[in-house]
């Protein structure tokens, strides 16, 4: 490669490696007619839901790989029927998506944290958890590590789920489509709480979820640039690009999955009578 193109390549890499972004000024409230609010000069954000509407926001930036932290405090009290979705998604028919969804519950009963990964438009990879704390009392940190080898979902720094790149086994992995961060608070009492048997108590409305301390160390996609994953990165400042779970982290993940996982598609043999999905039965 000619030296001038090496210089160009490095300039290009420099524009892809994002600075950390740490407030909500780069987000847009996309719906809800005033029910979503950016507060305190961009440090805080709230979404609310009442009988007429929920609300939602999205990031202005699109990202291709990153480690993204968000602190959330969920709808307190009787939150049955409310769903707070917090996810990354690309657009189009064959979109990729990395999901956290918090399904509310009646007072005193646990939220369900639902996770899923879509690649090339196909999801069906649900794993659900209860939490080891009350997610409505305080802010807790929900993180997504997304690099070319793996996606890791973490709660307060504890990994709860790892989804590995198994393209070598013919399974698509999200790595070519940039994604935005989205969140919404909406009503799903037709299915969310105990299969739709428990309805939203609108006397408790408006329901509010709060967000703060957003941080993204991520590759920001700028139009015209090609895949972040196919170029080699300078190591400094982007360790997350090659990060994997060390043995202590794997132990903690095992602890969560043993004690708090309430649904695992990889264990649902009734759902997959033809056999479990390949990624469930192969170790990479
Ligand atoms: C609500 O609480 C019930 C009873 O503890 C539990 O079975 C269920 O998983 C909880 N979550 C949702 C979303 O219903």
């Amino acid at each position: 490669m000619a030296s001038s193109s090496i210089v160009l390549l490095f300039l290009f890499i420099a524009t892809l490696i994002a600075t950390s972004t740490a407030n909500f000024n780069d987000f847009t409230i996309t719906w809800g007619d005033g029910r979503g609010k950016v507060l305190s000069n961009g440090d805080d954000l709230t979404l609310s839901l009442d009988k007429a509407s929920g609300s939602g926001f999205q990031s202005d930036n699109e990202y291709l790989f990153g480690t993204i932290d968000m602190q959330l405090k969920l709808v307190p009290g009787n939150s049955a029927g409310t769903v707070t979705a917090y996810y990354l998604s690309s657009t189009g028919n064959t979109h990729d998506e990395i999901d956290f969804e918090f399904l509310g519950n009646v007072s005193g009963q646990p939220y369900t944290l639902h996770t899923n990964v879509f690649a090339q438009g196909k999801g069906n990879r649900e794993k659900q958890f209860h939490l080891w704390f009350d997610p409505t009392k305080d802010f807790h940190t929900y993180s997504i590590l997304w690099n070319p080898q793996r996606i890791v979902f973490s709660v307060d720094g504890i990994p709860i789920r790892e989804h590995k790149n198994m393209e070598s086994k013919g399974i698509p992995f999200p790595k070519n489509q940039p994604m935005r961060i989205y969140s919404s608070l909406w009503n799903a009492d037709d299915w969310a709480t105990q299969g739709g048997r428990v309805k939203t108590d609108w006397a408790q409305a408006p329901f509010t979820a709060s967000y703060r301390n957003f941080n993204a160390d991520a590759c920001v996609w700028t139009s015209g640039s090609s895949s972040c994953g196919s170029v080699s990165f300078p190591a400094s400042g982007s360790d997350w690009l090659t990060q994997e779970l060390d043995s202590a982290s794997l132990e903690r993940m095992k602890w969560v999955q043993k004690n708090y996982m309430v649904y695992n598609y990889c264990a649902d043999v009734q759902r997959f009578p033809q056999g479990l999905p390949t990624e469930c039965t192969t170790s990479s």
Side-chain angles (χ1 to χ4, degrees):
M1 200 187 295
S3 62
S4 63
S5 51
I6 290 176
V7 170
L8 271 179
L9 180 63
F10 273 93
L11 283 175
F12 171 68
I13 289 167
T15 61
L16 279 175
I17 296 202
T19 53
S20 299
T21 320
N23 64 40
F24 293 111
N25 293 324
D26 294 332
F27 283 72
T28 300
I29 306 283
T30 43
W31 62 286
D33 201 18
R35 290 174 180 79
K37 293 188 178 75
V38 175
L39 307 162
S40 335
N41 293 320
D43 288 341
D44 300 313
L45 189 154
T46 57
L47 292 182
S48 75
L49 162 72
D50 56 41
K51 201 164 187 180
S53 178
S55 51
F57 66 82
Q58 69 182 46
S59 62
D60 296 343
N61 286 326
E62 292 180 283
Y63 302 98
L64 189 67
F65 305 128
T67 178
I68 295 168
D69 303 327
M70 182 78 86
Q71 290 196 324
L72 275 82
K73 190 160 108 177
L74 299 170
V75 172
N78 182 357
S79 58
T82 71
V83 174
T84 306
Y86 169 63
Y87 58 105
L88 301 181
S89 184
S90 63
T91 54
N93 289 336
T94 56
H95 80 293
D96 298 331
E97 192 175 310
I98 304 170
D99 287 332
F100 275 121
E101 276 188 55
F102 302 89
L103 314 184
N105 216 333
V106 292
S107 296
Q109 296 304 316
Y111 264 74
T112 295
L113 170 52
H114 171 100
T115 63
N116 203 355
V117 174
F118 284 69
Q120 297 288 313
K122 188 181 162 293
N124 298 328
R125 298 192 173 95
E126 300 84 359
K127 294 193 183 185
Q128 297 184 336
F129 303 82
H130 286 163
L131 295 162
W132 49 96
F133 51 84
D134 178 348
T136 72
K137 284 268 184 298
D138 288 300
F139 283 91
H140 290 269
T141 305
Y142 302 91
S143 308
I144 294 169
L145 166 70
W146 173 33
N147 68 31
Q149 302 84 37
R150 56 184 42 77
I151 292 163
V152 178
F153 297 81
S154 301
V155 176
D156 290 337
I158 300 177
I160 62 167
R161 172 174 185 180
E162 178 179 29
H163 178 81
K164 287 185 183 163
N165 182 334
M166 291 199 200
E167 285 179 307
S168 64
K169 306 279 188 326
I171 302 161
F173 183 82
K175 67 158 215 260
N176 299 314
Q177 308 189 75
M179 304 206 232
R180 282 200 163 83
I181 299 167
Y182 296 86
S183 188
S184 55
L185 174 56
W186 46 290
N187 178 49
D189 67 358
D190 50 341
W191 60 268
T193 308
Q194 297 168 36
R197 289 189 303 278
V198 179
K199 297 297 170 195
T200 301
D201 178 8
W202 293 111
Q204 309 298 315
F207 301 100
T208 301
S210 308
Y211 302 72
R212 69 175 195 198
N213 287 345
F214 163 68
N215 189 70
D217 290 318
C219 303
V220 173
W221 182 264
T222 39
S223 59
S225 64
S226 65
S227 167
C228 227
S230 62
V231 292
S232 53
F233 286 80
S236 70
S238 54
D239 298 346
W240 52 266
L241 258 177
T242 53
Q243 191 179 330
E244 41 189 284
L245 294 176
D246 60 19
S247 56
S249 301
L250 286 170
E251 280 307 311
R252 298 167 98 191
M253 185 166 75
K254 257 192 220 152
W255 170 79
V256 172
Q257 295 189 347
K258 178 164 177 271
N259 295 291
Y260 296 97
M261 187 159 66
V262 294
Y263 179 78
N264 177 5
Y265 76 109
C266 280
D268 195 346
V269 288
Q270 279 173 330
R271 179 176 171 191
F272 302 103
Q274 317 298 327
L276 292 172
T278 317
E279 73 256 26
C280 299
T281 53
T282 347
S283 52
S284 65

mmCIF file of all heavy atoms in Angstrom, residues 194-217:
data_model
loop_
_atom_site.group_PDB
_atom_site.id
_atom_site.type_symbol
_atom_site.label_atom_id
_atom_site.label_comp_id
_atom_site.label_asym_id
_atom_site.label_seq_id
_atom_site.Cartn_x
_atom_site.Cartn_y
_atom_site.Cartn_z
ATOM 1 N N GLN A 194 -47.629 -11.542 32.578
ATOM 2 C CA GLN A 194 -48.230 -12.858 32.766
ATOM 3 C C GLN A 194 -49.156 -13.208 31.603
ATOM 4 O O GLN A 194 -50.320 -13.568 31.776
ATOM 5 C CB GLN A 194 -48.911 -12.916 34.132
ATOM 6 C CG GLN A 194 -47.869 -12.737 35.244
ATOM 7 C CD GLN A 194 -48.440 -12.491 36.618
ATOM 8 O OE1 GLN A 194 -49.458 -13.048 36.962
ATOM 9 N NE2 GLN A 194 -47.771 -11.660 37.403
ATOM 10 N N GLY A 195 -48.599 -13.017 30.412
ATOM 11 C CA GLY A 195 -49.294 -13.413 29.191
ATOM 12 C C GLY A 195 -50.510 -12.568 28.853
ATOM 13 O O GLY A 195 -51.378 -13.000 28.095
ATOM 14 N N GLY A 196 -50.585 -11.348 29.397
ATOM 15 C CA GLY A 196 -51.694 -10.462 29.058
ATOM 16 C C GLY A 196 -52.850 -10.553 30.039
ATOM 17 O O GLY A 196 -53.852 -9.860 29.906
ATOM 18 N N ARG A 197 -52.696 -11.403 31.079
ATOM 19 C CA ARG A 197 -53.801 -11.568 32.030
ATOM 20 C C ARG A 197 -53.904 -10.382 32.981
ATOM 21 O O ARG A 197 -54.961 -10.108 33.530
ATOM 22 C CB ARG A 197 -53.628 -12.864 32.829
ATOM 23 C CG ARG A 197 -53.865 -14.126 31.992
ATOM 24 C CD ARG A 197 -53.901 -15.374 32.865
ATOM 25 N NE ARG A 197 -52.693 -15.559 33.653
ATOM 26 C CZ ARG A 197 -51.575 -16.114 33.191
ATOM 27 N NH1 ARG A 197 -51.506 -16.531 31.948
ATOM 28 N NH2 ARG A 197 -50.518 -16.258 33.962
ATOM 29 N N VAL A 198 -52.771 -9.676 33.204
ATOM 30 C CA VAL A 198 -52.785 -8.541 34.128
ATOM 31 C C VAL A 198 -52.798 -7.250 33.313
ATOM 32 O O VAL A 198 -51.926 -7.042 32.461
ATOM 33 C CB VAL A 198 -51.548 -8.579 35.052
ATOM 34 C CG1 VAL A 198 -51.544 -7.390 36.001
ATOM 35 C CG2 VAL A 198 -51.519 -9.885 35.830
ATOM 36 N N LYS A 199 -53.763 -6.398 33.540
ATOM 37 C CA LYS A 199 -53.911 -5.179 32.744
ATOM 38 C C LYS A 199 -53.258 -3.983 33.431
ATOM 39 O O LYS A 199 -53.116 -3.950 34.652
ATOM 40 C CB LYS A 199 -55.402 -4.902 32.516
ATOM 41 C CG LYS A 199 -56.105 -5.995 31.716
ATOM 42 C CD LYS A 199 -55.523 -6.087 30.313
ATOM 43 C CE LYS A 199 -56.014 -7.321 29.572
ATOM 44 N NZ LYS A 199 -55.220 -7.617 28.383
ATOM 45 N N THR A 200 -52.915 -3.002 32.612
ATOM 46 C CA THR A 200 -52.339 -1.767 33.139
ATOM 47 C C THR A 200 -53.365 -1.035 33.996
ATOM 48 O O THR A 200 -54.525 -0.911 33.606
ATOM 49 C CB THR A 200 -51.913 -0.866 31.957
ATOM 50 O OG1 THR A 200 -50.969 -1.581 31.172
ATOM 51 C CG2 THR A 200 -51.291 0.429 32.449
ATOM 52 N N ASP A 201 -52.928 -0.561 35.145
ATOM 53 C CA ASP A 201 -53.802 0.216 36.019
ATOM 54 C C ASP A 201 -53.588 1.693 35.720
ATOM 55 O O ASP A 201 -52.674 2.327 36.242
ATOM 56 C CB ASP A 201 -53.463 -0.093 37.489
ATOM 57 C CG ASP A 201 -54.313 0.739 38.438
ATOM 58 O OD1 ASP A 201 -55.258 1.420 37.960
ATOM 59 O OD2 ASP A 201 -54.034 0.714 39.654
ATOM 60 N N TRP A 202 -54.447 2.231 34.870
ATOM 61 C CA TRP A 202 -54.254 3.613 34.406
ATOM 62 C C TRP A 202 -54.429 4.639 35.515
ATOM 63 O O TRP A 202 -54.025 5.798 35.358
ATOM 64 C CB TRP A 202 -55.169 3.911 33.217
ATOM 65 C CG TRP A 202 -54.777 3.110 32.005
ATOM 66 C CD1 TRP A 202 -55.476 2.096 31.428
ATOM 67 C CD2 TRP A 202 -53.565 3.239 31.241
ATOM 68 N NE1 TRP A 202 -54.778 1.573 30.353
ATOM 69 C CE2 TRP A 202 -53.604 2.263 30.223
ATOM 70 C CE3 TRP A 202 -52.438 4.076 31.325
ATOM 71 C CZ2 TRP A 202 -52.579 2.102 29.284
ATOM 72 C CZ3 TRP A 202 -51.419 3.921 30.404
ATOM 73 C CH2 TRP A 202 -51.486 2.942 29.395
ATOM 74 N N ALA A 203 -55.013 4.231 36.646
ATOM 75 C CA ALA A 203 -55.117 5.163 37.772
ATOM 76 C C ALA A 203 -53.731 5.552 38.280
ATOM 77 O O ALA A 203 -53.571 6.584 38.936
ATOM 78 C CB ALA A 203 -55.937 4.536 38.898
ATOM 79 N N GLN A 204 -52.722 4.707 37.985
ATOM 80 C CA GLN A 204 -51.340 5.002 38.405
ATOM 81 C C GLN A 204 -50.609 5.931 37.431
ATOM 82 O O GLN A 204 -49.491 6.354 37.697
ATOM 83 C CB GLN A 204 -50.520 3.714 38.511
ATOM 84 C CG GLN A 204 -51.143 2.601 39.337
ATOM 85 C CD GLN A 204 -51.330 3.020 40.770
ATOM 86 O OE1 GLN A 204 -50.434 3.607 41.366
ATOM 87 N NE2 GLN A 204 -52.505 2.751 41.306
ATOM 88 N N ALA A 205 -51.189 6.212 36.267
ATOM 89 C CA ALA A 205 -50.501 6.993 35.237
ATOM 90 C C ALA A 205 -50.356 8.457 35.661
ATOM 91 O O ALA A 205 -51.164 8.930 36.467
ATOM 92 C CB ALA A 205 -51.285 6.890 33.927
ATOM 93 N N PRO A 206 -49.392 9.241 35.157
ATOM 94 C CA PRO A 206 -48.422 8.788 34.166
ATOM 95 C C PRO A 206 -47.316 7.918 34.772
ATOM 96 O O PRO A 206 -46.898 8.131 35.899
ATOM 97 C CB PRO A 206 -47.827 10.103 33.644
ATOM 98 C CG PRO A 206 -47.973 11.062 34.783
ATOM 99 C CD PRO A 206 -49.226 10.654 35.502
ATOM 100 N N PHE A 207 -46.851 6.954 33.988
ATOM 101 C CA PHE A 207 -45.729 6.107 34.352
ATOM 102 C C PHE A 207 -44.455 6.748 33.809
ATOM 103 O O PHE A 207 -44.449 7.216 32.669
ATOM 104 C CB PHE A 207 -45.904 4.722 33.732
ATOM 105 C CG PHE A 207 -47.176 4.040 34.159
ATOM 106 C CD1 PHE A 207 -48.294 4.031 33.339
ATOM 107 C CD2 PHE A 207 -47.245 3.402 35.398
ATOM 108 C CE1 PHE A 207 -49.473 3.388 33.738
ATOM 109 C CE2 PHE A 207 -48.423 2.754 35.796
ATOM 110 C CZ PHE A 207 -49.532 2.757 34.970
ATOM 111 N N THR A 208 -43.402 6.741 34.615
ATOM 112 C CA THR A 208 -42.175 7.416 34.177
ATOM 113 C C THR A 208 -40.951 6.542 34.376
ATOM 114 O O THR A 208 -40.785 5.913 35.431
ATOM 115 C CB THR A 208 -41.989 8.741 34.961
ATOM 116 O OG1 THR A 208 -43.132 9.559 34.719
ATOM 117 C CG2 THR A 208 -40.746 9.494 34.513
ATOM 118 N N ALA A 209 -40.107 6.498 33.351
ATOM 119 C CA ALA A 209 -38.795 5.851 33.454
ATOM 120 C C ALA A 209 -37.734 6.932 33.259
ATOM 121 O O ALA A 209 -37.921 7.841 32.449
ATOM 122 C CB ALA A 209 -38.642 4.763 32.392
ATOM 123 N N SER A 210 -36.626 6.824 34.011
ATOM 124 C CA SER A 210 -35.591 7.866 33.974
ATOM 125 C C SER A 210 -34.259 7.302 33.500
ATOM 126 O O SER A 210 -33.930 6.143 33.787
ATOM 127 C CB SER A 210 -35.400 8.466 35.371
ATOM 128 O OG SER A 210 -36.633 8.878 35.896
ATOM 129 N N TYR A 211 -33.503 8.157 32.835
ATOM 130 C CA TYR A 211 -32.232 7.777 32.212
ATOM 131 C C TYR A 211 -31.170 8.796 32.603
ATOM 132 O O TYR A 211 -31.436 9.993 32.637
ATOM 133 C CB TYR A 211 -32.353 7.804 30.683
ATOM 134 C CG TYR A 211 -33.435 6.906 30.130
ATOM 135 C CD1 TYR A 211 -34.769 7.241 30.289
ATOM 136 C CD2 TYR A 211 -33.106 5.739 29.455
ATOM 137 C CE1 TYR A 211 -35.762 6.404 29.786
ATOM 138 C CE2 TYR A 211 -34.091 4.910 28.949
ATOM 139 C CZ TYR A 211 -35.413 5.245 29.123
ATOM 140 O OH TYR A 211 -36.402 4.427 28.641
ATOM 141 N N ARG A 212 -29.955 8.304 32.827
ATOM 142 C CA ARG A 212 -28.849 9.238 33.047
ATOM 143 C C ARG A 212 -27.518 8.519 32.782
ATOM 144 O O ARG A 212 -27.471 7.307 32.568
ATOM 145 C CB ARG A 212 -28.878 9.803 34.477
ATOM 146 C CG ARG A 212 -28.558 8.793 35.516
ATOM 147 C CD ARG A 212 -28.486 9.415 36.908
ATOM 148 N NE ARG A 212 -27.838 8.453 37.789
ATOM 149 C CZ ARG A 212 -27.901 8.475 39.104
ATOM 150 N NH1 ARG A 212 -28.589 9.401 39.730
ATOM 151 N NH2 ARG A 212 -27.269 7.561 39.817
ATOM 152 N N ASN A 213 -26.434 9.286 32.853
ATOM 153 C CA ASN A 213 -25.072 8.753 32.695
ATOM 154 C C ASN A 213 -24.900 7.874 31.464
ATOM 155 O O ASN A 213 -24.270 6.823 31.511
ATOM 156 C CB ASN A 213 -24.643 7.964 33.944
ATOM 157 C CG ASN A 213 -24.340 8.896 35.095
ATOM 158 O OD1 ASN A 213 -24.175 10.112 34.898
ATOM 159 N ND2 ASN A 213 -24.273 8.369 36.288
ATOM 160 N N PHE A 214 -25.460 8.334 30.355
ATOM 161 C CA PHE A 214 -25.215 7.642 29.094
ATOM 162 C C PHE A 214 -23.743 7.783 28.725
ATOM 163 O O PHE A 214 -23.153 8.857 28.862
ATOM 164 C CB PHE A 214 -26.080 8.268 27.992
ATOM 165 C CG PHE A 214 -25.616 7.923 26.608
ATOM 166 C CD1 PHE A 214 -25.715 6.630 26.144
ATOM 167 C CD2 PHE A 214 -25.059 8.892 25.778
ATOM 168 C CE1 PHE A 214 -25.272 6.300 24.869
ATOM 169 C CE2 PHE A 214 -24.624 8.578 24.509
ATOM 170 C CZ PHE A 214 -24.724 7.279 24.057
ATOM 171 N N ASN A 215 -23.135 6.701 28.311
ATOM 172 C CA ASN A 215 -21.759 6.780 27.829
ATOM 173 C C ASN A 215 -21.530 5.787 26.697
ATOM 174 O O ASN A 215 -21.848 4.609 26.832
ATOM 175 C CB ASN A 215 -20.769 6.481 28.959
ATOM 176 C CG ASN A 215 -19.361 6.785 28.510
ATOM 177 O OD1 ASN A 215 -18.999 7.944 28.322
ATOM 178 N ND2 ASN A 215 -18.576 5.749 28.289
ATOM 179 N N ALA A 216 -20.999 6.268 25.600
ATOM 180 C CA ALA A 216 -20.688 5.380 24.481
ATOM 181 C C ALA A 216 -19.234 5.542 24.095
ATOM 182 O O ALA A 216 -18.804 6.639 23.743
ATOM 183 C CB ALA A 216 -21.581 5.703 23.288
ATOM 184 N N ASP A 217 -18.459 4.463 24.215
ATOM 185 C CA ASP A 217 -17.149 4.398 23.567
ATOM 186 C C ASP A 217 -17.389 3.566 22.336
ATOM 187 O O ASP A 217 -17.522 2.344 22.437
ATOM 188 C CB ASP A 217 -16.119 3.716 24.470
ATOM 189 C CG ASP A 217 -15.769 4.593 25.648
ATOM 190 O OD1 ASP A 217 -15.601 5.806 25.445
ATOM 191 O OD2 ASP A 217 -15.683 4.064 26.766
#
